[in-house]
Amino acid sequence: MRLLIAACVTFVMTATAFAAELGDDGLHKTPWMRDTFKDLSEDLAEATDEGKRLMVMIEQRGCIYCTKMHEEVFVVPEIAAFIEENYFVVQINMFGDIEVTDFDGTALPEKEMVKKWGALFTPMILFFPEEVDADATATQAAVATMPGAFGRHTTFNMLNWIVEKGYDGEETFQKYHARKFAEQSN
Protein backbone atom coordinates (compact mmCIF):
# COMPACT_ATOMS: atom_id res chain seq x y z
CA MET A 1 0.00 0.00 0.00
CA ARG A 2 2.83 2.39 0.85
CA LEU A 3 4.40 1.68 -2.52
CA LEU A 4 1.15 2.57 -4.29
CA ILE A 5 0.83 5.83 -2.34
CA ALA A 6 4.46 6.70 -3.08
CA ALA A 7 3.92 6.01 -6.78
CA CYS A 8 0.81 8.23 -6.84
CA VAL A 9 2.62 11.07 -5.05
CA THR A 10 5.57 10.79 -7.47
CA PHE A 11 3.22 10.88 -10.49
CA VAL A 12 1.35 13.93 -9.19
CA MET A 13 4.60 15.78 -8.40
CA THR A 14 6.05 14.95 -11.82
CA ALA A 15 2.86 15.94 -13.64
CA THR A 16 2.70 19.18 -11.65
CA ALA A 17 6.20 20.07 -12.85
CA PHE A 18 4.90 20.09 -16.43
CA ALA A 19 1.50 21.66 -15.61
CA ALA A 20 0.40 24.77 -17.45
CA GLU A 21 -0.67 27.93 -15.69
CA LEU A 22 -3.24 30.36 -17.02
CA GLY A 23 -1.84 33.57 -18.43
CA ASP A 24 -3.40 37.03 -18.29
CA ASP A 25 -5.10 36.21 -21.61
CA GLY A 26 -6.82 33.17 -20.06
CA LEU A 27 -4.75 30.71 -22.12
CA HIS A 28 -2.63 27.93 -20.68
CA LYS A 29 1.09 28.69 -20.56
CA THR A 30 3.72 25.95 -20.51
CA PRO A 31 7.51 26.08 -20.18
CA TRP A 32 7.89 24.76 -23.74
CA MET A 33 5.89 27.54 -25.39
CA ARG A 34 7.88 30.35 -27.01
CA ASP A 35 7.17 34.05 -26.64
CA THR A 36 7.93 35.36 -30.13
CA PHE A 37 6.94 38.25 -32.40
CA LYS A 38 4.63 35.73 -34.13
CA ASP A 39 6.34 36.12 -37.49
CA LEU A 40 6.00 32.57 -38.78
CA SER A 41 8.96 32.80 -41.18
CA GLU A 42 11.22 33.99 -38.35
CA ASP A 43 9.81 31.34 -36.00
CA LEU A 44 10.40 28.64 -38.62
CA ALA A 45 13.99 29.79 -39.13
CA GLU A 46 14.64 29.78 -35.39
CA ALA A 47 13.04 26.35 -34.99
CA THR A 48 15.13 24.95 -37.84
CA ASP A 49 18.31 26.50 -36.39
CA GLU A 50 17.55 24.67 -33.13
CA GLY A 51 16.88 21.40 -34.96
CA LYS A 52 13.20 21.53 -33.99
CA ARG A 53 9.88 21.52 -35.79
CA LEU A 54 7.55 24.52 -35.75
CA MET A 55 4.20 23.83 -34.12
CA VAL A 56 1.49 26.51 -33.92
CA MET A 57 -1.28 25.99 -31.34
CA ILE A 58 -4.51 27.95 -31.73
CA GLU A 59 -6.39 28.15 -28.44
CA GLN A 60 -9.03 30.30 -26.74
CA ARG A 61 -9.98 31.39 -23.24
CA GLY A 62 -12.42 28.99 -21.56
CA CYS A 63 -11.90 26.20 -24.08
CA ILE A 64 -12.68 22.96 -22.26
CA TYR A 65 -10.80 20.92 -24.86
CA CYS A 66 -7.69 23.11 -24.53
CA THR A 67 -7.91 22.55 -20.77
CA LYS A 68 -8.24 18.79 -21.34
CA MET A 69 -5.07 18.79 -23.46
CA HIS A 70 -3.11 20.85 -20.93
CA GLU A 71 -4.34 18.99 -17.83
CA GLU A 72 -4.46 15.42 -19.16
CA VAL A 73 -2.14 15.10 -22.16
CA PHE A 74 0.61 17.74 -22.20
CA VAL A 75 1.36 17.04 -18.51
CA VAL A 76 2.35 13.44 -19.24
CA PRO A 77 6.12 13.64 -18.62
CA GLU A 78 6.99 11.66 -21.76
CA ILE A 79 4.89 13.99 -23.95
CA ALA A 80 6.07 17.22 -22.30
CA ALA A 81 9.71 16.16 -22.62
CA PHE A 82 9.21 15.14 -26.27
CA ILE A 83 7.67 18.50 -27.12
CA GLU A 84 10.43 20.36 -25.27
CA GLU A 85 13.12 18.41 -27.12
CA ASN A 86 11.62 18.39 -30.62
CA TYR A 87 9.26 21.33 -31.08
CA PHE A 88 9.31 25.12 -31.23
CA VAL A 89 5.78 25.95 -30.06
CA VAL A 90 4.00 29.24 -30.80
CA GLN A 91 0.59 29.90 -29.27
CA ILE A 92 -2.09 31.89 -31.11
CA ASN A 93 -5.12 33.29 -29.28
CA MET A 94 -8.21 32.69 -31.43
CA PHE A 95 -9.65 36.03 -30.27
CA GLY A 96 -6.38 37.88 -29.65
CA ASP A 97 -5.17 41.18 -31.01
CA ILE A 98 -1.43 40.52 -31.26
CA GLU A 99 -0.16 40.83 -34.83
CA VAL A 100 0.77 37.60 -36.60
CA THR A 101 2.77 37.55 -39.83
CA ASP A 102 1.96 34.58 -42.05
CA PHE A 103 4.56 32.92 -44.29
CA ASP A 104 3.15 34.86 -47.27
CA GLY A 105 3.91 38.17 -45.51
CA THR A 106 0.31 38.98 -44.56
CA ALA A 107 0.21 40.63 -41.11
CA LEU A 108 -3.07 40.52 -39.19
CA PRO A 109 -4.26 40.45 -35.58
CA GLU A 110 -4.50 36.89 -34.24
CA LYS A 111 -8.30 36.82 -34.50
CA GLU A 112 -8.18 37.87 -38.16
CA MET A 113 -5.35 35.46 -39.00
CA VAL A 114 -7.31 32.60 -37.45
CA LYS A 115 -10.25 33.51 -39.72
CA LYS A 116 -7.91 33.62 -42.74
CA TRP A 117 -6.70 30.14 -41.83
CA GLY A 118 -10.27 28.85 -41.45
CA ALA A 119 -9.79 27.66 -37.87
CA LEU A 120 -13.19 27.08 -36.31
CA PHE A 121 -12.39 24.98 -33.25
CA THR A 122 -9.79 24.92 -30.51
CA PRO A 123 -7.36 23.57 -29.86
CA MET A 124 -6.04 23.37 -33.40
CA ILE A 125 -2.40 22.51 -33.92
CA LEU A 126 -0.54 23.13 -37.17
CA PHE A 127 2.75 21.32 -37.89
CA PHE A 128 5.24 22.66 -40.43
CA PRO A 129 8.10 21.32 -42.54
CA GLU A 130 11.61 22.73 -42.21
CA GLU A 131 11.12 24.92 -45.30
CA VAL A 132 8.06 26.83 -46.50
CA ASP A 133 7.57 28.73 -49.76
CA ALA A 134 7.38 32.50 -49.26
CA ASP A 135 3.99 32.70 -50.99
CA ALA A 136 2.34 29.96 -48.91
CA THR A 137 -0.10 30.55 -46.08
CA ALA A 138 0.21 28.58 -42.85
CA THR A 139 -2.67 26.30 -43.78
CA GLN A 140 -1.16 25.63 -47.21
CA ALA A 141 2.27 24.94 -45.72
CA ALA A 142 1.21 22.72 -42.82
CA VAL A 143 2.21 19.08 -43.25
CA ALA A 144 -0.47 18.06 -40.74
CA THR A 145 -3.22 19.61 -38.67
CA MET A 146 -4.49 18.26 -35.37
CA PRO A 147 -8.05 19.61 -35.04
CA GLY A 148 -9.29 19.30 -31.48
CA ALA A 149 -8.41 17.43 -28.33
CA PHE A 150 -6.99 13.93 -28.54
CA GLY A 151 -5.84 11.39 -26.00
CA ARG A 152 -2.28 10.87 -24.91
CA HIS A 153 -1.46 8.04 -27.33
CA THR A 154 -2.89 9.78 -30.40
CA THR A 155 -1.12 13.03 -29.49
CA PHE A 156 2.21 11.35 -28.74
CA ASN A 157 2.03 9.33 -31.94
CA MET A 158 1.18 12.44 -34.00
CA LEU A 159 4.16 14.28 -32.49
CA ASN A 160 6.43 11.34 -33.39
CA TRP A 161 4.95 10.90 -36.88
CA ILE A 162 5.77 14.55 -37.65
CA VAL A 163 9.33 14.29 -36.32
CA GLU A 164 9.84 11.07 -38.32
CA LYS A 165 8.39 12.83 -41.42
CA GLY A 166 5.73 10.18 -41.77
CA TYR A 167 3.77 12.57 -44.00
CA ASP A 168 6.45 11.98 -46.69
CA GLY A 169 6.06 8.20 -46.51
CA GLU A 170 3.51 5.65 -47.61
CA GLU A 171 2.10 4.94 -44.13
CA THR A 172 -0.77 7.31 -43.33
CA PHE A 173 -1.02 8.68 -39.81
CA GLN A 174 -4.02 6.45 -39.08
CA LYS A 175 -2.05 3.30 -39.97
CA TYR A 176 1.03 4.57 -38.11
CA HIS A 177 -1.08 5.31 -35.05
CA ALA A 178 -2.79 1.91 -35.15
CA ARG A 179 0.59 0.17 -35.36
CA LYS A 180 2.13 2.29 -32.58
CA PHE A 181 -0.96 2.01 -30.38
CA ALA A 182 -0.84 -1.79 -30.64
CA GLU A 183 2.82 -1.68 -29.55
CA GLN A 184 2.03 0.74 -26.70
CA SER A 185 -0.84 -1.44 -25.48
CA ASN A 186 1.43 -4.46 -25.03
Side-chain angles (χ1 to χ4, degrees):
M1 184 63 160
R2 287 183 184 168
L3 185 59
L4 178 60
I5 292 171
C8 288
V9 168
T10 300
F11 176 77
V12 169
M13 290 177 67
T14 303
T16 303
F18 292 107
E21 297 179 11
L22 287 180
D24 292 339
D25 59 2
L27 303 183
H28 294 86
K29 305 298 178 190
T30 64
W32 39 259
M33 286 180 178
R34 303 298 183 99
D35 188 18
T36 73
F37 290 111
K38 298 190 188 314
D39 181 317
L40 297 188
S41 294
E42 289 178 7
D43 293 339
L44 180 64
E46 193 171 341
T48 302
D49 286 347
E50 292 180 19
K52 296 183 177 189
R53 300 300 298 270
L54 178 60
M55 178 171 124
V56 172
M57 296 178 63
I58 302 169
E59 299 183 292
Q60 66 177 304
R61 176 190 296 268
C63 169
I64 60 173
Y65 300 108
C66 300
T67 299
K68 175 184 173 57
M69 293 297 291
H70 285 284
E71 292 182 357
E72 298 176 21
V73 178
F74 295 142
V75 295
V76 174
E78 180 182 29
I79 293 172
F82 192 82
I83 292 171
E84 179 79 42
E85 183 178 325
N86 295 286
Y87 285 93
F88 186 101
V89 182
V90 176
Q91 184 181 53
I92 303 288
N93 182 344
M94 182 175 240
F95 298 105
D97 293 314
I98 296 172
E99 186 174 270
V100 176
T101 304
D102 204 342
F103 293 110
D104 67 1
T106 303
L108 296 168
E110 291 166 299
K111 59 189 168 195
E112 297 300 322
M113 191 62 75
V114 167
K115 284 182 189 177
K116 175 187 172 200
W117 294 340
L120 299 175
F121 303 100
T122 56
M124 180 171 152
I125 303 174
L126 302 167
F127 298 95
F128 298 97
E130 291 92 345
E131 295 179 17
V132 171
D133 291 337
D135 61 344
T137 66
T139 50
Q140 291 168 334
V143 293
T145 302
M146 195 168 131
F150 291 92
R152 66 182 286 180
H153 292 294
T154 306
T155 301
F156 187 65
N157 290 339
M158 173 62 83
L159 294 168
N160 277 280
W161 187 74
I162 297 297
V163 168
E164 294 172 11
K165 298 182 182 179
Y167 51 85
D168 280 339
E170 296 296 317
E171 186 177 39
T172 64
F173 173 69
Q174 291 76 10
K175 288 184 179 183
Y176 175 90
H177 175 55
R179 179 172 55 83
K180 288 294 191 177
F181 187 69
E183 293 168 10
Q184 291 158 346
S185 297
N186 289 333

